[in-house]
Amino acid sequence: MIRSIAQKEFISTLRDRRFMVLSVLVLGLLLAATLVGRASYRTLQQERTVAQQTVNEQFHHQPNRHPHRVAHYGSFAFRPKSTLSFLDSGLDSFTGASVFLEAHQQNSVNFSPAQQSGSLIRFGELSVAFVLQLLVPLLIIFLCFSAFTEERESGTLKLLLSQGVSLRQVAWGKIAGYSWAVTLVVGPALALAAGLLFGQEEVAGNLDLWARLALFALSYGVYFFLFIVGSVVVSAWQHHARTALVTLLGFWMLGCIILPKATANLGANLFPAITKAQLDAAVHEEAQKGINGHDPQDQRTAVLKANLLKKYGVDSEEKLPVSVGGLVMAESEAYTSQVYQRHFAGLTSTYERQNALSTWMGLLNPYQAIRPLSMGLAGSDFAHYVHFQQAAEAYRYQLAQQLNALQVGMGYGDKERKLDAATWRAIPPFAYQAPPLRWALHPLLVPALALLFWALGLSWLGLKLIEKTSIA
């Protein structure tokens, strides 16, 4: 019987002109967002790959130089686009694309699309995730708001129940029929995304990407199921279709517009982040307490030099087998790096607390559960950004200390000498390896459980409420 009701609802839905018009619009937007997002991904990824190769070649083809000049010449690390970011660009538009790697200083990631765009980008981009998270739920609401009210007003609900069918079976039949209709709208776009993605040889056998895409589709399947069940329950409890529609639109505005914005503001007030100017000032102040590699009159440099003379048993710097300047630079780099790491870790912790507040709100609002889940699976959330930032800093520190070690080995009088250009070609370039799905799943545990909690809880409680609803 449930199957018969589902088939009836599915066929009725296909005959509904309102649904056909809305579904064609939503499907068109989904397909457009998929194609445009994929094209944008390919362009940006190609630009960053070329830029990374260019700066690597420039670094490797430097002339004969002193190692510390090479350290200040520096290099750039370009963040590769996540392969699935064309489905959900997440924070990519705001977190920057490249970071300058230089001695003594840990720079933040700059050159985000938001920095080069107008204020309209802050109202959201037309992406697959935007359509799936905001527009498809609207389509579901307009599809399901009269699920029970129409039957009740026309008297067909009584007729149906007189055949021995329970309200629960009717509800499940309608939920199944509407689910088929929604799949008909969303399915082609996801199939197109999979075709575009795995049509390339380099990613066709990538099981990690397959798993991410499968979980991405599964997550949205649960999200849409919630809206279908919720809409059917509200329709069963309201006596008029108009009231049901207004109620559902109110829930949509509250959950998808008002609560996310309010939570973001609350998080920013509870856990305020310092500005870049404040961060730079705090780092500069603390860095002054360490050894200064560029100040020959620094007292701590004099102490280090005295200890070296004592260690090697000589009475002058000229007799030392190592460069005092190189050792001072290495000591200074180690200290300033710790200072930067400590302050950046504090700032990252503040942002993580703000994000955690929004994530836990997913227990109250499904929209705030699907957002982090979607961004995390697409590899465009804050955790993936921090992973890149830490990888870039690890390379910067290793590069600076490697160059300092070369300077140390040059011995006394190193400032007047240069190393051969072949030295720079032997240094490996920056190569970023994005984390696997296994790494990304841990911070997504709360939103995933919140979505499942909503699916199970709403199904159980909603159908119990439907059983008690009036059929008059």
Side-chain angles (χ1 to χ4, degrees):
M1 182 54 73
I2 292 177
R3 176 181 288 272
S4 298
I5 297 173
Q7 287 177 340
K8 176 258 178 189
E9 289 297 334
F10 180 62
I11 293 171
S12 299
T13 300
L14 295 185
R15 290 174 178 168
D16 188 338
R17 288 187 178 179
R18 294 171 303 173
F19 172 76
M20 291 304 293
V21 171
L22 290 174
S23 60
V24 167
L25 284 174
V26 171
L27 179 58
L29 286 173
L30 270 177
L31 294 175
T34 304
L35 292 172
V36 172
R38 182 62 180 168
S40 173
Y41 159 78
R42 290 174 68 90
T43 302
L44 289 173
Q45 180 59 21
Q46 188 175 13
E47 287 177 356
R48 294 181 189 184
T49 302
V50 170
Q52 188 69 68
Q53 291 172 347
T54 302
V55 297
N56 289 343
E57 289 177 6
Q58 288 173 344
F59 183 88
H60 282 159
H61 289 86
Q62 293 180 80
N64 296 352
R65 274 180 172 167
H66 188 276
H68 200 64
R69 285 203 62 190
V70 176
H72 277 290
Y73 178 81
S75 184
F76 278 90
F78 288 85
R79 183 187 177 194
K81 290 279 289 181
S82 164
T83 311
L84 285 181
S85 62
F86 75 98
L87 293 176
D88 190 340
S89 56
L91 302 179
D92 282 1
S93 299
F94 305 94
T95 50
S98 64
V99 56
F100 180 48
L101 311 174
E102 61 177 328
H104 314 313
Q105 190 159 329
Q106 182 179 346
N107 297 306
S108 56
V109 185
N110 289 314
F111 304 112
S112 67
Q115 290 175 312
Q116 306 165 50
S117 304
S119 58
L120 282 178
I121 196 171
R122 302 185 189 282
F123 290 91
E125 301 171 87
L126 177 62
S127 66
V128 175
F130 175 82
V131 178
L132 294 178
Q133 290 169 10
L134 294 175
L135 301 188
V136 173
L138 271 181
L139 173 68
I140 292 172
I141 288 173
F142 283 108
L143 172 65
C144 306
F145 76 94
S146 61
F148 270 91
T149 53
E150 197 173 67
E151 299 270 12
R152 190 183 287 117
E153 290 168 356
S154 64
T156 54
L157 184 59
K158 283 184 180 178
L159 189 64
L160 193 59
L161 296 178
S162 68
Q163 305 298 313
V165 183
S166 68
L167 278 171
R168 177 182 285 265
Q169 287 177 312
V170 173
W172 274 120
K174 288 179 178 294
I175 291 169
Y178 293 140
S179 299
W180 296 349
V182 173
T183 304
L184 202 62
V185 176
V186 178
L190 289 178
L192 175 63
L196 289 173
L197 185 63
F198 298 106
Q200 306 172 71
E201 290 184 6
E202 61 270 24
V203 298
N206 191 323
L207 295 180
D208 194 86
L209 281 180
W210 273 110
R212 281 179 182 261
L213 185 62
L215 289 176
F216 186 87
L218 180 63
S219 302
Y220 277 102
V222 176
Y223 181 62
F224 299 149
F225 175 76
L226 285 173
F227 274 90
I228 293 172
V229 172
S231 300
V232 169
V233 171
V234 170
S235 175
W237 269 83
Q238 296 293 340
H239 291 284
H240 303 288
R242 184 187 305 170
T243 315
L245 179 60
V246 171
T247 305
L248 288 167
L249 289 177
F251 281 129
W252 179 85
M253 287 189 66
L254 180 67
C256 298
I257 307 292
I258 299 173
L259 278 179
K261 180 64 177 171
T263 306
N265 290 339
L266 180 64
N269 284 313
L270 288 177
F271 309 108
I274 62 174
T275 64
K276 187 176 186 303
Q278 290 173 321
L279 177 71
D280 290 343
V283 169
H284 179 74
E285 181 181 355
E286 194 169 342
Q288 295 301 312
K289 299 174 183 176
I291 192 167
N292 187 345
H294 287 286
D295 182 7
Q297 305 302 321
D298 189 285
Q299 291 299 315
R300 288 155 296 199
T301 302
V303 172
L304 186 143
K305 181 179 173 181
N307 290 336
L308 281 175
L309 295 175
K310 183 178 180 182
K311 176 182 176 181
Y312 287 98
V314 296
D315 55 5
S316 67
E317 186 178 340
E318 290 83 348
K319 297 177 182 176
L320 285 173
V322 295
S323 164
V324 174
L327 287 168
V328 169
M329 291 298 174
E331 187 79 16
S332 173
E333 192 65 52
Y335 179 78
T336 54
S337 177
Q338 288 179 4
V339 173
Y340 271 103
Q341 290 283 20
R342 190 160 51 251
H343 284 272
F344 270 97
L347 187 60
T348 301
S349 176
T350 301
Y351 289 139
E352 287 175 342
R353 288 177 187 172
Q354 293 177 0
N355 292 337
L357 183 66
S358 181
T359 300
W360 281 102
M361 275 297 291
L363 293 170
L364 301 176
N365 180 14
Y367 175 75
Q368 287 176 274
I370 191 65
R371 279 202 70 194
L373 205 53
S374 176
M375 289 190 293
L377 291 172
S380 57
D381 62 350
F382 185 66
H384 282 81
Y385 163 74
V386 172
H387 186 274
F388 167 78
Q389 191 180 41
Q390 292 175 343
E393 166 55 18
Y395 177 82
R396 184 202 70 82
Y397 181 72
Q398 176 269 333
L399 175 64
Q401 292 297 50
Q402 187 176 356
L403 293 170
N404 288 332
L406 290 172
Q407 183 180 351
V408 170
M410 293 168 72
Y412 178 75
D414 64 282
K415 293 181 182 178
E416 309 301 325
R417 298 201 297 273
K418 299 177 182 178
L419 293 182
D420 187 80
T423 307
W424 325 131
R425 290 193 287 275
I427 296 177
F430 174 74
Y432 178 65
Q433 183 64 45
L437 174 62
R438 183 178 65 256
W439 176 91
L441 284 179
H442 177 68
L444 302 181
L445 191 59
V446 172
L449 290 176
L451 215 54
L452 289 176
F453 167 77
W454 267 98
L456 296 175
L458 192 60
S459 299
W460 177 77
L461 182 62
L463 291 176
K464 273 197 168 299
L465 290 174
I466 286 177
E467 284 179 335
K468 296 177 181 177
T469 189
S470 168
I471 61 172

